[in-house]
Amino acid sequence: MEIKLENKKRSGPVLFSEYKRGDGIRKAVELGRENILFELKNSGLKGRGGAGFPTSTKWMLSAAANADKKFIVCNADEGEPGTFKDRVLLLEYPELVFDGMVIAGFTIGAQTGIVYLRGEYEYMLQPLEDYLAKVREDNLLGKNILGKENFDFDISIRLGSGAYVCGEETALIESLEGCRGEPRNRPPYPVNTGYLGYPTVVNNVETLASVSHIVLKGGEWFKKYGTDKSTGSKLFSVSGDCEKPGVYELPWGTKIKELLEIVGAKNTKAVQAGGASGTCIPKTQFDRMLGYEDAATGGSIIIFNESRNMLKVLKNFMEFFIEESCGQCTPCRIGNIKLMDGIEKIESGEFTFSYINNLKELGRTMQVASKCGLGQSSPNSFISILENFKEEILNTNWKGKENV
Amino acid sequence: MLELEKNSLSEEIENLVKQFGSERQALLQILQAVQRKHKHVSDFAQQEIARLLNIHPVEVYSVISFYSFLCSEPKGRNIVRLCRTISCDMAGKDKVVTAVKRELGITFGETTNDGRVTLEFTNCLGMCDQGPVMLVNEKVFTHLNPEAAVNILNEVK
Amino acid sequence: MSKRENIRVPVSQQPFTVTKPEDTTTIGGTVTVQINEKKFSVPLGTTILEACRQNQIHIPTLCHHPDLCIAGVCRICVVDVEGMKTLQTACSFPITTPIKIHTSTPMVRKARRHIIDLLLSEHYGECYSCFRNGSCELQSLAKEYGVDEYTFGHADKPRYQVDRSSAAVVRDMSKCILCKRCVRTCIDLQEVGVLEAINRGHETYIGTFLDKPLADVICINCGQCINRCPTAALRANDPSDEIWEAIDNPKKHVIIQTAPSPRAAIGEEFGIEAGHSFTGELNTALKRIGFDKVFDTNFTADLTIIEEGTELLYRLKKIIVDKDESVKLPQFTSCSPGWIKFIEHFYPEYLGYLSTAKSPQQMFGAIMKTFYAKQAGINPADIVTVALMPCAAKKFECNRPEMNSSGYKDVDYGLTTREMAKMIREAGIYLPEMPKANFDEPFGDASGAGLIFGATGGVMEAALRTVYELVTGREVPFKNLAIEPCRGFEGVKQASVKLENCVDQYKFLEGVELKFVVAHGTANAKKVMEMLRKGELSNVHFVEIMACPGGCLGGGGQPIPTNAEIRKKRAQAIYAEEESLTVRKSHENPHIKYIYENFLTDGPCGKLSHKLLHTHYLKRGKFIS
Ligand SMILES: Cc1cc2nc3c(=O)[nH]c(=O)nc-3n(C[C@H](O)[C@H](O)[C@H](O)COP(=O)(O)O)c2cc1C
Ligand code: SF4
Ligand code: SF4
Ligand code: SF4
Ligand code: SF4
Ligand code: FES
Ligand code: FES
């Protein structure tokens, strides 16, 4: 596999708009740190990895931190079920991602960038390394970038080894440090105490790609798209029951039913926004719009049509969490098992309503008491699917209906 | 293990340490390299790595046991990982599972008697728009149907 | 912000340090927090847990332990911090801004109750058949939160097999709550590195390298992990049933020797505050239980000092006078069996530096089954020797195959303080109310020097008192014989005394600056060994090492909990008791003189003492095949 430079075959308002390799970096040098941070703040860009933390704040905090070394980490651990936009960006638009990293390094004063690429994407490793080698030749990476004195930045790629939880930024850092991918206590936050104890910015692939455009074209331009609270556009990875699954760039604020229209989904019963950690949105709520303020998602959109059995869907999600929990904290390690027990009890028809309510309560505890986002969001689908499909799930006699 | 094999493994690990450094943060890279080549990280390799990185062997073992792509027991020459997550599930992964199991005569989590193939489930491979999907070693195969999957598996050596 | 020094401790688990105030409302390095509507001023970086404890606000904890770095995994200590979406763990949250905290909202209480329910649902075992009944942190939490039913079920069969392979530690992972205190103890505190979490998610358990039985890995049997385990998942290998059997057998002559540290701590098992010695009461209790003789280990501690001190003087002479280069200095103490196994595994090439003297426990056994047996006219085969020790490693030591110089197993059983307390309770005795009694003769009197073996630096202090006096003919030049540089809990202590106006026999030591090093806890031992490796100890003569933090008084067999404050109190109890004694130097113990005159007639380090009182070591190494 080879990555071709400047090979545009997609179109979209922001991310898939015109961009030439190095343009963002050139502009960044021209603007200077202060102005970059201003443009970023003005753009209202929020993290695309799922948590939605304002990128400018993250960068400012680490720019302000006093340390002899700093790190930029590109989170390419894309593991959320139904998400594959980062793969597309890395393979087809690597210039956006890597330019974004260089700009980040320039802004906060870091000289080292690390891409944490999930082990499942090992087949991308060589093409990406080749790409980086080419960029180094063009002096867009390495020492004295673009001839600017002391503007040094280089990028290395490190592989994961098959653990979804390593996408969580502090688990990712633990993994980079050669440890089990167990999320850390926060505070201290990585912007102060990250990789090897140094200030570290962890950003999603798409966040960094957006930065390249914003720096080149300005915060105002970016803000033209999207809503007040969710500015710009977003890549949606669409899969499930539709005619045209794939990656779509749409402005934030797009309604779910509009999206369903675009991808050719028919007879849709429900949409899972945000992957297994997200929430399940039933037909009656398809008027809701995609955005941080309403139906938030890191990009994953999974579509279910009328023929799908929602309990089976839920079971698939819970299996995912049980397999991927790191297991260090009590609510998540044992809680997910209990939720699964509940699902099995429903399947076998042995549940009581009060036990299911107990489990929903337990889910709420997990949401607030788990150590990291995994345990905090694993009950989301349990709660939302059981609420929204109560009729379908609890009032059916499941015995002997294993594979409806 | 033969003394000779031990020596060559030691040398290999020493070279990896030279390449990636003798700090703890090199651990995962070293383990990945050993795993790639030997399809597992043996007891001896674990202790050599621990010695050279100045950490405890149990820490190495603990890290290996955490990551699903690393293992301390030998597996098949080819590791096949089929995505079991929702989109692939809806796209018909179950049929592929049945076909593959029947063809190889093993279930998931097992290795064929000739040590050619180990079958495993994995979670979302980031190819949900093209499911069902499987990884054969590090190569990815999409749009599987039972026949295609079986053909691919019969190809690997 | 702090930079990591020890790569093994994740940054987030290191003590939090703040360099400069982050907020203008924080003046002079303190910050005002509001806890449950009340305002408190605390130093920057104080955790919520510390702030609450300082102000008498109770927060439950499980994975937190004051000796260890922060884990933040059990989540039982969650509190509500205003403005945060999720609950925060009090044990890990450093206060750097003026936050508002609520420690008992409905959500907090519900979360804690859920966490207890979840832990209990996986917990195998019933409290009434469990050795931690009454001292278990999980049990007391369940009580605190009024758990009266298993909301999410209860394990009806064990998930894991009990590992009984080790002479010292029994591991029952079906009772484990994965607080990882043992991992942090073994890796961070002791730096031995036997235990780690294996697998992930719900499959996680605490395991050893390749899941080998504990006896087959590099465990040094220090038992520190037992002391920090909140439940019965880790416990000592308890021989009390066999001991009862021996006591109940009229043919057996059962002797117990008691070490100094258990006496200073056993009161804690009976609800007495730390820092009180119960030596006299314990003697009575032991007699009532039915031990035929109750002797004082301090007697052989004195013997150890004579043997080890003489060995040191021999080594010095060989080096200074005979210029013998094969002799190793500094000489390391050898009375801590955890330390012995540690050096055998990690530094086998340095075994020559160890004193060959046995530990007091083993010397005692050897003397009992030889000298004492003969004097008392008892067949050594009928003697059962029990050692009451603060230590788990002593159980391993007495089972070492070479420990049979008397022709029998020198010490039959090592019993910990906790197990002793259990036996006393079983016998229906309330220890603090016992009348006081003396030890039995002839090994009842010992010097104070033996007593202070219990605290780190004690062996060194005892040895210096004797060696200095032998060499110079005068008492050590410290007020009240208290050699202060040996005392205290600093990890590695170094000091020296100058030898002047030596007696004729030791003229070769005239003017020598006798240098010594004291370390406790194997993490500190490692530091000392690295110093040795780098040649930094070339002018040091004597090194004392104890495997447990604080020395024996912090041993793995001591009452739970053990922490810095309790260790300090136990040390105070020991030093206070020793000041009250009249004989405070080993060589002045009349029984010691007697035994050299009547039994070990070829003197210290002579032929017989070499047979009975000295031993050899095993090059174990780290490799596990
Ligand atoms: C369990 C878990 C998995 C995550 N996986 C990813 C991931 O695969 N990719 C990603 O960019 N962020 C992931 N995140 C979010 C990161 O923790 C982090 O918020 C993000 O990388 C920050 O980048 P951003 O601000 O650019 O979004 C995950 C979070 C959790 C809790
Ligand atoms: S919530 Fe789950 S994944 Fe996160 S730290 Fe706890 S156990 Fe690990
Ligand atoms: S470990 Fe604690 S909770 Fe468990 S059975 Fe023993 S006393 Fe009860
Ligand atoms: S007894 Fe000591 S060495 Fe053994 S596992 Fe426990 S802490 Fe580690
Ligand atoms: S064995 Fe004890 S100390 Fe170790 S994790 Fe389990 S409960 Fe905690
Ligand atoms: S669900 Fe199979 S690749 Fe994503
Ligand atoms: S005591 Fe705070 S998380 Fe365990």
Side-chain angles (χ1 to χ4, degrees):
Chain A
M1 193 185 296
E2 197 198 355
I3 295 181
K4 296 203 189 71
L5 303 176
E6 340 281 353
N7 166 29
K8 299 284 168 295
K9 47 179 197 238
R10 296 172 190 264
S11 66
V14 178
L15 280 157
F16 294 154
S17 68
E18 187 65 22
Y19 183 87
K20 278 226 326 272
R21 186 159 49 99
D23 278 359
I25 306 180
R26 275 181 210 102
K27 189 68 190 279
V29 173
E30 211 174 282
L31 286 173
R33 291 174 162 209
E34 239 72 318
N35 290 329
I36 298 174
L37 286 172
F38 173 80
E39 290 298 336
L40 262 189
K41 193 166 164 63
N42 194 23
S43 75
L45 175 66
K46 288 187 189 167
R48 301 307 200 216
F53 191 78
T55 308
S56 60
T57 314
K58 198 182 263 189
W59 286 24
M60 269 179 219
L61 285 172
S62 50
N66 207 346
D68 42 344
K69 264 194 219 169
K70 294 180 188 176
F71 292 94
I72 304 292
V73 173
C74 169
N75 187 342
D77 194 54
E78 189 168 57
E80 190 63 52
T83 317
F84 43 89
K85 58 173 179 90
D86 293 347
R87 177 197 87 214
V88 168
L89 279 174
L90 284 168
L91 280 179
E92 298 174 23
Y93 298 84
E95 68 278 6
L96 286 177
V97 183
F98 295 131
D99 283 8
M101 287 179 79
V102 178
I103 295 169
F106 177 73
T107 313
I108 72 152
Q111 300 184 333
T112 316
I114 302 171
V115 179
Y116 188 87
L117 186 67
R118 65 190 305 223
E120 289 84 344
Y121 286 171
E122 190 174 341
Y123 59 87
M124 284 190 207
L125 182 63
Q126 204 47 51
L128 289 176
E129 293 280 14
D130 294 346
Y131 174 83
L132 286 177
K134 276 187 227 162
V135 179
R136 262 182 220 113
E137 276 170 28
D138 295 350
N139 194 217
L140 289 170
L141 212 55
K143 291 229 175 297
N144 301 333
I145 294 175
L146 294 172
K148 190 173 158 64
E149 200 68 1
N150 291 332
F151 181 7
D152 302 343
F153 191 81
D154 213 331
I155 295 175
S156 60
I157 304 177
R158 301 269 294 269
L159 280 173
S161 260
Y164 161 70
V165 67
C166 288
E168 201 280 343
E169 55 186 359
T170 56
L172 187 155
I173 291 170
E174 284 286 300
S175 178
L176 283 177
E177 290 184 6
C179 299
R180 296 162 63 85
E182 293 179 346
R184 293 175 174 177
N185 294 311
R186 272 167 304 183
Y189 295 93
V191 283
N192 283 318
T193 313
Y195 182 55
L196 303 179
Y198 295 106
T200 304
V201 165
V202 183
N203 271 138
N204 173 252
V205 172
E206 188 185 346
T207 312
L208 290 164
S210 309
V211 164
S212 298
H213 278 297
I214 292 170
V215 168
L216 185 65
K217 299 170 190 168
E220 282 301 325
W221 167 80
F222 187 78
K223 254 193 335 197
K224 279 200 316 221
Y225 306 94
T227 69
D228 278 357
K229 287 203 176 112
S230 316
T231 52
S233 72
K234 176 85 187 83
L235 297 188
F236 295 99
S237 325
V238 183
S239 64
D241 298 318
C242 63
E243 276 162 17
K244 292 173 282 182
V247 174
Y248 291 84
E249 182 183 352
L250 298 171
W252 279 124
T254 305
K255 292 212 162 73
I256 291 174
K257 61 177 183 212
E258 290 167 0
L259 182 137
L260 291 176
E261 190 88 359
I262 297 172
V263 303
K266 298 206 180 71
N267 281 335
T268 308
K269 168 155 85 172
V271 166
Q272 179 81 10
S277 327
T279 46
C280 191
I281 298 170
K283 190 157 57 182
T284 48
Q285 299 174 18
F286 284 175
D287 269 346
R288 286 171 67 179
M289 64 175 202
L290 296 160
Y292 296 107
E293 63 269 47
D294 191 357
T297 167
S300 167
I301 299 283
I302 305 168
I303 303 170
F304 308 107
N305 69 20
E306 291 291 353
S307 72
R308 300 294 170 184
N309 169 345
M310 294 315 284
L311 190 68
K312 223 180 141 216
V313 169
L314 177 56
K315 195 171 174 189
N316 190 295
F317 287 154
M318 283 324 295
E319 275 168 10
F320 172 80
F321 287 119
I322 288 172
E323 277 165 30
E324 299 297 339
S325 156
C326 84
Q328 65 168 326
C329 77
T330 316
C332 171
R333 180 183 67 243
I334 312 179
N336 284 322
I337 293 284
K338 298 297 156 195
L339 299 187
M340 190 63 162
D341 275 359
I343 295 172
E344 277 164 4
K345 285 218 165 83
I346 296 175
E347 266 184 346
S348 64
E350 285 166 18
F351 69 98
T352 60
F353 283 97
S354 62
Y355 189 61
I356 299 299
N357 285 336
N358 272 348
L359 289 179
K360 280 195 206 153
E361 285 290 314
L362 173 65
R364 275 176 211 116
T365 289
M366 291 166 67
Q367 287 173 330
V368 294
S370 294
K371 185 163 179 174
C372 85
L374 192 150
Q376 285 161 9
S377 56
S378 67
N380 290 353
S381 45
F382 184 88
I383 294 174
S384 66
I385 291 183
L386 282 187
E387 296 269 307
N388 293 327
F389 301 93
K390 211 185 284 171
E391 291 295 309
E392 174 188 330
I393 293 175
L394 296 183
N395 295 342
T396 313
N397 179 12
W398 288 106
K399 253 190 181 155
K401 284 202 188 176
E402 196 68 21
N403 290 313
V404 217
Chain B
M1 200 185 277
L2 293 171
E3 208 53 36
L4 216 62
E5 277 176 56
K6 274 191 187 173
N7 288 342
S8 81
L9 191 55
S10 292
E11 201 184 304
E12 192 183 319
I13 292 169
E14 267 162 37
N15 286 334
L16 288 171
V17 170
K18 265 189 215 128
Q19 185 184 346
F20 295 116
S22 60
E23 251 83 65
R24 170 90 194 224
Q25 59 264 32
L27 177 61
L28 216 53
Q29 287 164 290
I30 295 172
L31 291 176
Q32 285 162 351
V34 175
Q35 173 85 30
R36 204 171 291 136
K37 178 147 180 222
H38 301 275
K39 304 289 171 195
H40 78 296
V41 189
S42 65
D43 321 359
F44 180 75
Q46 290 182 42
Q47 297 191 61
E48 278 298 285
I49 294 170
R51 182 175 65 81
L52 292 166
L53 298 191
N54 194 18
I55 56 179
H56 304 291
V58 71
E59 293 180 281
V60 178
Y61 180 55
S62 166
V63 167
I64 292 175
S65 71
F66 184 90
Y67 292 96
S68 37
F69 285 9
L70 300 174
C71 59
S72 49
E73 294 294 330
K75 282 192 186 168
R77 290 193 297 284
N78 300 286
I79 299 178
V80 174
R81 298 189 169 96
L82 182 74
C83 172
R84 58 152 291 281
T85 313
I86 188 74
S87 300
C88 292
D89 189 73
M90 294 198 292
K93 140 229 138 190
D94 281 345
K95 292 202 184 90
V96 177
V97 170
T98 324
V100 167
K101 282 207 295 202
R102 208 183 312 130
E103 191 75 14
L104 294 179
I106 53 171
T107 64
F108 280 71
E110 293 179 350
T111 305
T112 51
N113 282 338
D114 56 2
R116 193 172 62 89
V117 172
T118 300
L119 276 185
E120 278 176 11
F121 281 125
T122 186
N123 278 313
C124 183
L125 291 170
M127 286 282 178
C128 328
D129 50 342
Q130 301 164 38
V133 183
M134 69 179 178
L135 275 183
V136 178
N137 302 321
E138 79 290 326
K139 255 174 114 173
V140 61
F141 295 90
T142 58
H143 294 299
L144 294 176
N145 55 44
E147 198 187 340
V150 166
N151 286 343
I152 292 164
L153 292 190
N154 287 338
E155 290 282 298
V156 299
K157 286 282 151 319
Chain C
M1 295 295 140
S2 65
K3 214 189 131 277
R4 65 189 328 188
E5 280 174 8
N6 180 348
I7 198 88
R8 288 191 195 99
V9 188
V11 178
S12 54
Q13 298 183 0
Q14 283 175 9
F16 192 79
T17 51
V18 182
T19 39
K20 62 173 196 291
E22 291 181 349
D23 196 282
T24 43
T25 48
T26 56
I27 307 153
T30 63
V31 54
T32 306
V33 281
Q34 185 179 318
I35 310 177
N36 301 341
E37 316 309 330
K38 267 214 200 112
K39 289 208 160 103
F40 303 99
S41 173
V42 295
L44 269 178
T46 310
T47 62
I48 294 180
L49 180 66
E50 284 161 351
C52 288
R53 290 207 169 149
Q54 281 160 17
N55 295 295
Q56 284 75 48
I57 298 166
H58 175 69
I59 307 262
T61 55
L62 263 181
C63 66
H64 178 81
H65 192 284
D67 283 347
L68 306 172
C69 63
I70 294 160
V73 295
C74 73
R75 317 302 288 175
I76 196 74
C77 67
V78 283
V79 295
D80 190 0
V81 176
E82 270 185 32
M84 314 242 358
K85 269 189 284 182
T86 56
L87 300 178
Q88 302 295 318
T89 39
C91 68
S92 72
F93 196 102
I95 303 171
T96 53
T97 49
I99 47 174
K100 293 186 181 145
I101 302 158
H102 303 277
T103 64
S104 177
T105 64
M107 197 198 267
V108 166
R109 286 194 304 271
K110 178 145 241 162
R112 289 185 188 157
R113 173 66 199 262
H114 270 141
I115 287 166
I116 299 168
D117 281 338
L118 288 176
L119 289 172
L120 291 181
S121 79
E122 304 249 294
H123 190 77
Y124 176 74
E126 299 293 349
C127 300
Y128 41 76
S129 58
C130 179
F131 103 97
R132 288 298 291 270
N133 191 354
S135 69
C136 168
E137 293 179 38
L138 180 61
Q139 187 191 41
S140 58
L141 264 180
K143 185 174 162 205
E144 201 175 312
Y145 281 80
V147 175
D148 52 4
E149 60 169 347
Y150 296 125
T151 318
F152 301 114
H154 187 54
D156 53 1
K157 47 182 183 304
R159 266 182 95 184
Y160 305 98
Q161 241 185 343
V162 181
D163 176 1
R164 296 179 194 277
S165 64
S166 158
V169 185
V170 178
R171 301 191 324 125
D172 182 358
M173 286 304 106
S174 309
K175 285 198 166 91
C176 171
I177 57 166
L178 286 171
C179 66
K180 292 202 193 172
R181 284 195 199 170
C182 55
V183 173
R184 285 173 283 154
T185 303
C186 198
I187 294 188
D188 302 339
L189 188 74
Q190 290 290 71
E191 293 197 18
V192 183
V194 171
L195 303 173
E196 242 296 15
I198 308 297
N199 286 343
R200 74 169 182 227
H202 190 242
E203 301 303 309
T204 313
Y205 59 87
I206 304 298
T208 56
F209 181 56
L210 300 171
D211 303 314
K212 303 254 181 210
L214 202 57
D216 296 350
V217 294
I218 51 169
C219 170
I220 63 165
N221 305 304
C222 66
Q224 288 299 316
C225 51
I226 303 177
N227 244 338
R228 285 171 187 74
C229 180
T231 69
L234 294 171
R235 60 178 195 264
N237 206 342
D238 182 359
S240 51
D241 286 345
E242 283 110 309
I243 296 172
W244 280 123
E245 218 167 279
I247 290 176
D248 294 339
N249 182 345
K251 280 214 223 78
K252 296 285 179 196
H253 183 77
V254 189
I255 300 171
I256 186 163
Q257 49 163 316
T258 73
S261 294
R263 305 178 330 218
I266 196 163
E268 295 163 34
E269 286 281 337
F270 293 88
I272 307 289
E273 202 201 331
H276 298 274
S277 277
F278 283 92
T279 313
E281 291 85 344
L282 186 61
N283 289 342
T284 312
L286 295 179
K287 291 298 274 187
R288 289 204 187 165
I289 282 183
F291 287 101
D292 295 298
K293 291 284 176 195
V294 180
F295 291 138
D296 190 347
T297 307
N298 294 353
F299 162 69
T300 37
D302 284 336
L303 201 55
T304 303
I305 288 301
I306 304 294
E307 292 291 330
E308 221 167 55
T310 310
E311 186 185 351
L312 177 66
L313 291 171
Y314 275 159
R315 289 194 191 210
L316 283 168
K317 179 152 185 277
K318 274 195 191 140
I319 286 185
I320 296 172
V321 182
D322 308 341
K323 309 273 181 234
D324 182 345
E325 303 219 323
S326 69
V327 174
K328 305 276 193 276
L329 268 188
Q331 174 178 310
F332 282 72
T333 59
S334 59
C335 34
S336 167
W339 150 241
I340 297 300
K341 194 146 183 273
F342 184 82
I343 187 174
E344 286 178 333
H345 280 304
F346 290 87
Y347 298 94
E349 64 277 29
Y350 291 101
L351 289 177
Y353 289 81
L354 277 179
S355 161
T356 56
K358 282 183 188 170
S359 69
Q361 162 178 296
Q362 292 307 124
M363 286 194 181
F364 211 109
I367 298 282
M368 282 307 114
K369 294 199 177 175
T370 52
F371 183 57
Y372 170 80
K374 206 157 130 210
Q375 284 219 323
I378 305 170
N379 179 358
D382 289 335
I383 295 182
V384 174
T385 51
V386 179
L388 168 56
M389 292 287 148
C391 179
K394 293 278 176 195
K395 292 173 189 288
F396 173 82
E397 184 185 31
C398 73
N399 283 310
R400 289 177 75 117
E402 68 273 21
M403 292 296 180
N404 62 350
S405 48
S406 61
Y408 303 88
K409 191 176 169 196
D410 291 341
V411 173
D412 292 284
Y413 304 109
L415 194 69
T416 64
T417 313
R418 293 188 298 267
E419 290 150 4
M420 189 77 255
K422 190 193 83 177
M423 288 182 73
I424 294 174
R425 279 192 295 262
E426 263 180 278
I429 296 170
Y430 180 63
L431 180 75
E433 282 173 359
M434 285 292 106
K436 291 184 195 225
N438 287 332
F439 288 100
D440 287 320
E441 293 301 334
F443 305 115
D445 287 334
S447 78
L451 190 65
I452 56 173
F453 264 53
T456 166
V459 178
M460 184 59 70
E461 184 165 345
L464 287 177
R465 286 181 191 171
T466 291
V467 169
Y468 189 90
E469 200 162 323
L470 282 183
V471 172
T472 65
R474 299 182 308 275
E475 280 193 347
V476 278
F478 288 91
K479 187 167 166 250
N480 215 355
L481 289 180
I483 309 184
E484 287 300 336
C486 291
R487 300 190 176 183
F489 289 120
E490 206 184 310
V492 180
K493 291 170 284 207
Q494 292 201 41
S496 61
V497 277
K498 198 160 187 155
L499 301 172
E500 280 167 320
N501 299 327
C502 299
V503 297
D504 287 346
Q505 191 191 348
Y506 294 110
K507 266 285 176 255
F508 65 92
L509 289 173
E510 185 65 43
V512 167
E513 185 93 19
L514 193 65
K515 278 203 162 178
F516 54 90
V517 169
V518 174
H520 59 113
T522 39
N524 290 317
K526 206 171 210 168
K527 284 190 196 132
V528 173
M529 291 313 287
E530 291 305 326
M531 284 158 76
L532 177 65
R533 183 170 272 172
K534 289 192 203 118
E536 290 167 15
L537 298 185
S538 55
N539 54 2
V540 174
H541 303 98
F542 200 18
V543 180
E544 178 205 301
I545 299 215
M546 292 292 156
C548 291
C552 305
L553 55 83
Q558 290 284 65
I560 300 170
T562 297
N563 56 41
E565 200 183 324
I566 290 175
R567 283 192 291 268
K568 207 161 123 197
K569 287 194 180 143
R570 289 182 191 153
Q572 281 162 357
I574 287 178
Y575 286 123
E577 191 178 347
E578 109 99 355
E579 291 230 344
S580 70
L581 295 178
T582 38
V583 181
R584 294 178 60 202
K585 293 174 242 165
S586 300
H587 55 281
E588 287 179 359
N589 179 346
H591 297 288
I592 292 289
K593 291 184 185 156
Y594 179 80
I595 201 168
Y596 281 112
E597 279 159 17
N598 294 294
F599 181 56
L600 304 166
T601 45
D602 43 3
C605 292
K607 228 172 156 186
L608 189 56
S609 50
H610 253 288
K611 176 164 179 274
L612 292 179
L613 308 183
H614 289 254
T615 185
H616 55 271
Y617 306 106
L618 212 63
K619 280 195 176 171
R620 293 179 197 266
K622 273 193 286 190
F623 190 80
I624 298 165
S625 56

